[in-house]
């Protein structure tokens, strides 16, 4: 376990050799991952703005998780979890994830923005992304150009992307390529918790939501929110597509 009351920075590669050993990184402010991190089938857990930090020893500022360009977290066959915590008196920041590789599950939890700027591959595991979980403001989920989410999981929980919370939030979801195993489900929702404020769901042109024979479910919350645009409609491969939007249409 690596802990810091302010920032924790990975400068050199971390390659853990002992099988099954978990790597936990907890920072009172930010975790800056500037090099590759791998375990030998041990779970990786990273938390910024960690509630266990000592506020008096924490430098002020937003606590984010930021992976540098080209970096990879690899947990073998175990889970990868990235979270912004809710340290009392601290300020939560964002998550910027690059390449995440495992055959376990992947979960990203942020009180604010989540940006994917690399390849997220969970093998047969599930992928869950929760953004703007405090339900305040317009923080969102964004997949940058060239990023992708891939799993061979074919269950109803294969890929779940949730933006905002029951309390509200107007955050949006901007998608690129997402692929599940045949028969899996891709769920993207900005009306998380049944809110009536969530923003639109968009997709970059020429990218694909591919669930094979499975299901793609898209839901927005706001009265004017839409799904896709006339210029860049949502492209899917699926047995069933369910879409519910506001006056922005589908």
């Amino acid at each position: 376990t690596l802990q810091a009351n302010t920032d924790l920075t990975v400068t050199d590669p971390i390659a853990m050799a002992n099988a099954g050993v978990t790597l936990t990184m907890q920072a009172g402010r930010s975790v800056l991952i500037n090099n590759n991190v791998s375990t030998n089938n041990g779970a990786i857990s990273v938390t910024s703005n960690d509630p266990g930090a000592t506020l008096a020893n924490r430098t002020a500022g937003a606590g984010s998780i930021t992976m540098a360009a080209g970096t990879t977290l690899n947990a073998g066959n175990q889970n990868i979890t990235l979270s912004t915590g809710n340290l009392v008196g601290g300020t939560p920041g964002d998550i910027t994830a690059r390449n995440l590789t495992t055959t376990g599950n992947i979960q990203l939890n942020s009180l604010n923005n989540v940006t994917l700027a690399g390849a997220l591959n969970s093998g047969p595991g599930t992928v869950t992304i929760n953004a703007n979980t405090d339900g305040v403001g317009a923080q969102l989920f964004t997949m940058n150009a060239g990023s992708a989410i891939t799993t061979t999981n074919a269950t109803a929980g294969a890929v779940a992307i949730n933006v905002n919370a029951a309390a509200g939030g107007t955050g949006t979801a901007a998608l690129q390529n997402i692929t599940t195993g045949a028969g899996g489900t891709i769920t993207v929702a900005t009306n998380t918790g049944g809110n009536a404020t969530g923003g639109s769901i968009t997709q970059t042109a020429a990218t694909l939501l591919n669930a094979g024979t499975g299901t793609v479910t898209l839901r927005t919350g706001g009265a004017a929110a839409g799904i896709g645009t006339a210029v860049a409609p949502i492209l899917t491969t699926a047995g069933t597509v369910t879409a519910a939007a506001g006056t922005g249409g589908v």
Side-chain angles (χ1 to χ4, degrees):
T1 299
L2 305 175
Q3 296 176 313
N5 282 313
T6 298
D7 294 342
L8 195 160
T9 303
V10 177
T11 302
D12 298 317
I14 296 175
M16 299 174 62
N18 292 338
V21 177
T22 295
L23 176 60
T24 301
M25 293 185 265
Q26 299 167 316
R29 192 170 68 176
S30 293
V31 180
L32 308 172
I33 301 172
N34 296 330
N35 218 316
N36 295 330
V37 176
S38 64
T39 65
N40 184 359
N41 297 325
I44 297 175
S45 175
V46 181
T47 306
S48 65
N49 201 48
D50 187 79
T54 302
L55 183 64
N57 297 329
R58 180 195 189 276
T59 301
S64 298
I65 298 173
T66 304
M67 295 179 65
T71 57
T72 298
L73 301 184
N74 188 329
N77 60 16
Q78 295 299 304
N79 297 341
I80 297 175
T81 305
L82 309 183
S83 303
T84 59
N86 198 14
L87 172 64
V88 175
T91 303
D94 305 321
I95 295 176
T96 300
R98 301 286 179 168
N99 303 307
L100 306 179
T101 302
T102 183
T103 56
N105 300 326
I106 295 175
Q107 186 163 16
L108 310 182
N109 306 301
S110 177
L111 291 158
N112 293 315
N113 296 299
V114 175
T115 301
L116 179 60
L120 190 160
N121 193 325
S122 64
T126 61
V127 175
T128 305
I129 298 172
N130 302 308
N132 198 25
T133 60
D134 62 0
V136 176
Q139 288 79 24
L140 48 81
F141 170 65
T142 303
M143 296 178 70
N144 284 354
S147 64
I149 297 172
T150 305
T151 176
T152 60
N153 190 281
T155 71
V159 175
I161 299 169
N162 305 299
V163 185
N164 306 310
T170 59
T172 60
L175 311 177
Q176 299 258 343
N177 289 306
I178 301 176
T179 304
T180 72
T185 297
I186 300 170
T187 300
V188 182
T190 66
N191 70 334
T192 308
N195 75 69
T197 56
S200 296
I201 298 171
T202 58
Q203 183 183 18
T204 298
T207 63
L208 181 66
L209 307 183
N210 186 353
T213 57
T215 300
V216 173
T217 299
L218 308 171
R219 300 190 303 270
T220 64
I227 296 175
T229 66
V231 175
I234 302 293
L235 300 181
T236 68
T237 297
T240 302
V241 176
T242 302
T247 57
V250 177

